[in-house]
């Protein structure tokens, strides 16, 4: 776990910093698994999350910790399985719109990528006709050469936020 957190987020200078990074890694990894499934429907038919809670204290692969307190992965699954969502697919670097509601929807998708200085390096707005249980492949996010932050938002015709999703691209 230490090697993974160091590689993705840089070496930790304290136990608290390491734990924060470990929880973030757990959040990202679990969310990616559920979101990866959602962009592959109907070819993908399900996800097996094999460990709801751990038999001893651990930092990953569980929804609840040793004391039955929700872990970072619990919250990532909750977000990753939201009824309507924009999802960044790490495999092909495209944004997908997913809708698990019974009716089709017409929404507007917004994407912004920020660098570490807070400068917008990419911005895109696109209408999307979302079909129930059919992922819609939308647009590609350009390769980031440094740590960047991707913010995705879905809005209805009145401008009300329907869903948001954020990623740290490193």
């Amino acid at each position: 776990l230490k090697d993974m957190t160091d590689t993705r987020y840089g070496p930790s200078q304290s136990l608290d910093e390491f734990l924060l990074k470990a929880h973030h890694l757990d959040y990202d990894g679990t969310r990616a698994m559920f979101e990866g499934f959602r962009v592959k429907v109907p070819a993908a038919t399900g996800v097996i999350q094999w460990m709801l809670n751990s038999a001893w204290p651990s930092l990953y692969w569980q929804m609840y910790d040793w004391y039955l307190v929700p872990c970072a992965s619990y919250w990532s699954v909750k977000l990753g399985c939201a009824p309507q969502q924009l999802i960044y697919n790490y495999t092909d670097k495209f944004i997908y719109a997913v809708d698990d509601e019974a009716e089709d929807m017409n929404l507007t998708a917004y994407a912004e990528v920020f660098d570490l200085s807070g400068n917008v390096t990419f911005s895109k707005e696109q209408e999307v006709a979302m079909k129930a249980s059919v992922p819609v492949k939308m647009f590609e996010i350009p390769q980031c050469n440094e740590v960047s932050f991707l913010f995705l938002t879905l809005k209805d015709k009145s401008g009300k936020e329907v869903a948001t999703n954020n990623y740290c691209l490193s």
Side-chain angles (χ1 to χ4, degrees), residues 5 41 57:
T5 57
V41 168

Side-chain angles (χ1 to χ4, degrees), residues 88 90 93 113 121 140-146 148 169-170:
Y88 173 71
Y90 289 94
K93 307 212 181 332
V113 177
T121 60
E140 187 173 11
I141 298 296
Q143 177 67 38
C144 301
N145 296 324
E146 60 179 25
S148 298
L169 305 176
S170 61

